[in-house]
Amino acid sequence: MKLQLQIKMNEALFLRDPESSALGKNILSHGIQLIYKHGFEAFTFKKLAEDIGTTEAGIYRYFENKHKLLVYLTAWYWGWLEFQISFQTNNIDDPAVKLKKVIRLLAMAVEDDEQTSYINESLLHQIIISEGSKAYLTKQVGEDNKQQFFKPYKDLCAVIGQIISDCNPVYKYPRSLASTIVEMAHFQNFFMYNLPSLTDFGKKKEETEIISFLNHLVFSSLEIKQEHG
Amino acid sequence: MKLQLQIKMNEALFLRDPESSALGKNILSHGIQLIYKHGFEAFTFKKLAEDIGTTEAGIYRYFENKHKLLVYLTAWYWGWLEFQISFQTNNIDDPAVKLKKVIRLLAMAVEDDEQTSYINESLLHQIIISEGSKAYLTKQVGEDNKQQFFKPYKDLCAVIGQIISDCNPVYKYPRSLASTIVEMAHFQNFFMYNLPSLTDFGKKKEETEIISFLNHLVFSSLEIKQEHG
DNA sequence: CTTAAATGATAGTAATACTATTAATTTTAG
DNA sequence: CTAAAATTAATAGTATTACTATCATTTAAG
């Protein structure tokens, strides 16, 4: 049995559902490749159309503009990650063990998930690291938020915030700590590879070091002693 | 006596020194206003030229493109902030007291510094919050870094990292904690006003709450008990 | 097998991100 | 004080980007 993981996307993010056709799926898979390759600023729908072998107008039938595509991809990623977390922490009772698992999932390089053929999660993870915050660091953040574009991100932080509260019910900043973990899992990665003096991991350049840093940060905030690493 | 604070800028950031002429100073002051008003994406040199009452070509004689202007402004801000920190923590012996002061300086809304007539630090602070990370979240980060464009940011983090090490010489992640404080001082502010459910400060919306969060985060990491707030 | 829907091909527009040229003005050096 | 040098303004122009519109053709669903 091969079960297909389908992430329910906000319909206001697209004009035509990209998951409903071959062209749409190409827009997603080639879009990920090209944003990864050129960076979001230099990425254009024209390049994407050429890469796919279709026309600019073809892309515009699916996405209003490249910002919407980026928001779509980030929303997809957060949705996917929340599923990974709920799946991989299922049946774990100890919230501290859960939280450690979450930190590991956030900070570890992602391997491509074969369940979703047209999304390369590994590349998408890299895009989230370098471009993810551009989805909300805009003047339209208020309107975009009203349209619930960031719901998957907020849901993910809410889930992590809940685990934090389960670890220490009197801790005062579960949501801020959750968003801090998420952002820092990515920023410390970006810094490690691009501005290494902003981190303590410049020499080894290993994701496990980011995990250790985040674990220490989180568990000392929650006043929980860690058994290992 | 009125002493003028001059921040030494990297010469590769501009074509002609904007601090050397009236037009240059206008580019800085109106640039700050317009980036603040429209956001960096919608900001153009054409709008800036119209706002100043000069021509596009005039702006291009000072800055190669708008990205360089953003990098210039962020570099200026980090340089200014490092000066503020060194000034305001001068003669303080206790590194923990120093660190608290640093966190407050990072997280508090900035009031306009009259020493620098053509830079509105308060607006610039807002720009750093919303646009600051776009200075380095690019494909050219490597080349820009080679040209030392991010030196002021790295210097600031180094200073903070040193204070952290002074607080607890065996703490293993002083640099990563420093960059975490800096980034989170700004991101939690952005979230508080724009995506409040990602924080615990949505109701009060006060910078002092971000300070409390960061203080708790930092001092529990460093295993130092705080006397107050 | 018919018809609606999706795609491809082509064209076109307004705005952006620049570069080049020359004229006018200001600054500075002798 | 004046000529030369530097700076700025005015104008024009190009390539690319970010779209929109139209219509013919292919595909797929009933």
Side-chain angles (χ1 to χ4, degrees), chain A:
Chain A
M1 183 193 73
K2 198 160 183 173
L3 70 163
Q4 189 71 15
L5 170 62
Q6 264 274 14
I7 288 156
K8 175 101 181 76
M9 297 299 294
N10 184 331
E11 302 208 345
L13 280 171
F14 50 76
L15 300 170
R16 205 197 295 295
D17 182 1
E19 295 189 284
S20 72
S21 74
L23 178 57
K25 288 171 186 175
N26 270 327
I27 291 173
L28 298 180
S29 67
H30 290 248
I32 288 170
Q33 282 171 242
L34 284 189
I35 293 174
Y36 173 75
K37 185 173 160 195
H38 298 295
F40 186 65
E41 280 72 35
F43 166 81
T44 67
F45 276 2
K46 187 156 189 225
K47 284 175 189 160
L48 178 55
E50 276 161 19
D51 202 59
I52 294 174
T54 181
T55 57
E56 240 181 311
I59 318 283
Y60 279 106
R61 271 187 219 109
Y62 284 83
F63 290 99
E64 217 181 309
N65 52 50
K66 69 175 184 171
H67 180 249
K68 284 265 169 71
L69 174 58
L70 179 66
V71 176
Y72 181 99
L73 291 175
T74 57
W76 193 96
Y77 185 80
W78 300 123
W80 177 80
L81 199 64
E82 196 195 327
F83 175 78
Q84 295 300 118
I85 286 174
S86 83
F87 191 84
Q88 296 212 32
T89 63
N90 191 29
N91 291 325
I92 297 177
D93 292 320
D94 184 348
V97 175
K98 253 189 187 176
L99 194 48
K100 272 199 162 181
K101 202 126 197 173
V102 167
I103 288 171
R104 162 167 281 274
L105 281 166
L106 282 166
M108 274 310 271
V110 170
E111 63 259 44
D112 193 14
D113 181 343
E114 307 237 331
Q115 284 184 353
T116 55
S117 47
Y118 45 93
I119 305 257
N120 181 332
E121 284 83 6
S122 171
L123 288 189
L124 187 50
H125 179 236
Q126 291 302 120
I127 291 175
I128 298 300
I129 288 172
S130 305
E131 322 287 354
S133 21
K134 296 172 193 169
Y136 55 76
L137 290 178
T138 68
K139 274 281 156 184
Q140 326 98 278
V141 58
E143 295 143 54
D144 286 359
N145 188 34
K146 261 185 211 147
Q147 289 189 79
Q148 305 270 53
F149 291 172
F150 308 117
K151 190 166 183 297
Y153 184 55
K154 298 198 284 188
D155 286 351
L156 176 73
C157 285
V159 164
I160 299 173
Q162 186 55 56
I163 300 174
I164 289 170
S165 289
D166 292 343
C167 284
N168 179 349
V170 303
Y171 179 68
K172 281 161 71 183
Y173 313 106
R175 287 156 177 272
S176 288
L177 186 58
S179 53
T180 297
I181 298 170
V182 174
E183 290 299 331
M184 280 308 118
H186 297 110
F187 270 80
Q188 292 292 319
N189 184 299
F190 185 88
F191 290 157
M192 178 167 80
Y193 287 110
N194 297 287
L195 301 165
S197 74
L198 297 177
T199 71
D200 303 280
F201 328 123
K203 294 209 174 111
K204 282 205 201 160
K205 288 209 198 331
E206 274 171 21
E207 275 75 8
T208 51
E209 301 208 68
I210 300 176
I211 295 172
S212 303
F213 164 64
L214 291 175
N215 277 333
H216 185 275
L217 188 79
V218 167
F219 288 103
S220 51
S221 277
L222 299 179
E223 283 158 18
I224 295 169
K225 289 224 177 84
Q226 288 183 80
E227 296 101 64
H228 30 251

Side-chain angles (χ1 to χ4, degrees), chain B:
Chain B
M1 183 194 73
K2 198 159 184 173
L3 70 164
Q4 190 71 14
L5 169 61
Q6 264 274 16
I7 288 157
K8 175 102 181 75
M9 297 300 294
N10 184 330
E11 302 210 343
L13 280 171
F14 50 75
L15 299 171
R16 202 195 296 290
D17 183 0
E19 294 188 286
S20 72
S21 75
L23 177 57
K25 287 172 186 173
N26 270 327
I27 291 172
L28 297 180
S29 67
H30 290 249
I32 288 169
Q33 282 172 241
L34 284 190
I35 294 173
Y36 173 75
K37 185 172 159 196
H38 299 294
F40 186 65
E41 280 72 35
F43 166 80
T44 68
F45 277 2
K46 187 157 190 222
K47 284 174 190 161
L48 178 54
E50 276 161 18
D51 202 58
I52 294 174
T54 182
T55 57
E56 239 182 312
I59 317 284
Y60 278 106
R61 252 179 253 114
Y62 285 84
F63 289 99
E64 215 182 311
N65 52 49
K66 69 175 184 171
H67 180 248
K68 284 266 169 71
L69 175 56
L70 179 66
V71 176
Y72 181 99
L73 292 174
T74 57
W76 194 97
Y77 185 81
W78 300 124
W80 177 80
L81 199 65
E82 196 195 326
F83 175 79
Q84 295 301 118
I85 285 174
S86 82
F87 192 83
Q88 297 211 31
T89 63
N90 192 28
N91 291 324
I92 297 177
D93 291 321
D94 184 348
V97 175
K98 254 190 185 175
L99 194 48
K100 273 198 161 181
K101 203 127 197 172
V102 167
I103 288 172
R104 161 166 281 275
L105 281 166
L106 283 167
M108 274 308 272
V110 169
E111 62 260 42
D112 192 13
D113 181 344
E114 308 237 331
Q115 283 183 354
T116 55
S117 48
Y118 45 92
I119 306 259
N120 181 331
E121 284 83 6
S122 171
L123 288 189
L124 187 50
H125 180 235
Q126 291 301 122
I127 291 176
I128 298 300
I129 289 171
S130 305
E131 323 288 355
S133 22
K134 295 171 193 169
Y136 55 77
L137 290 178
T138 68
K139 273 281 155 181
Q140 328 98 278
V141 60
E143 295 143 52
D144 286 1
N145 188 34
K146 259 185 213 150
Q147 290 190 78
Q148 306 270 54
F149 291 170
F150 308 118
K151 189 166 184 298
Y153 184 55
K154 298 198 285 188
D155 286 351
L156 176 72
C157 283
V159 165
I160 300 172
Q162 186 54 56
I163 302 173
I164 289 171
S165 289
D166 292 343
C167 285
N168 179 347
V170 302
Y171 178 67
K172 279 162 69 183
Y173 313 105
R175 287 155 177 272
S176 288
L177 186 57
S179 54
T180 298
I181 298 169
V182 174
E183 291 299 331
M184 281 307 119
H186 297 111
F187 270 80
Q188 292 293 319
N189 183 300
F190 185 88
F191 290 157
M192 178 166 80
Y193 287 110
N194 296 289
L195 301 165
S197 74
L198 297 176
T199 72
D200 303 279
F201 327 123
K203 291 204 175 114
K204 281 205 199 159
K205 288 209 198 330
E206 274 173 19
E207 276 75 8
T208 52
E209 300 209 69
I210 299 176
I211 295 172
S212 304
F213 164 64
L214 290 175
N215 278 332
H216 185 277
L217 188 79
V218 167
F219 289 102
S220 52
S221 276
L222 298 179
E223 283 158 19
I224 295 169
K225 288 222 177 84
Q226 289 181 80
E227 296 101 65
H228 29 253

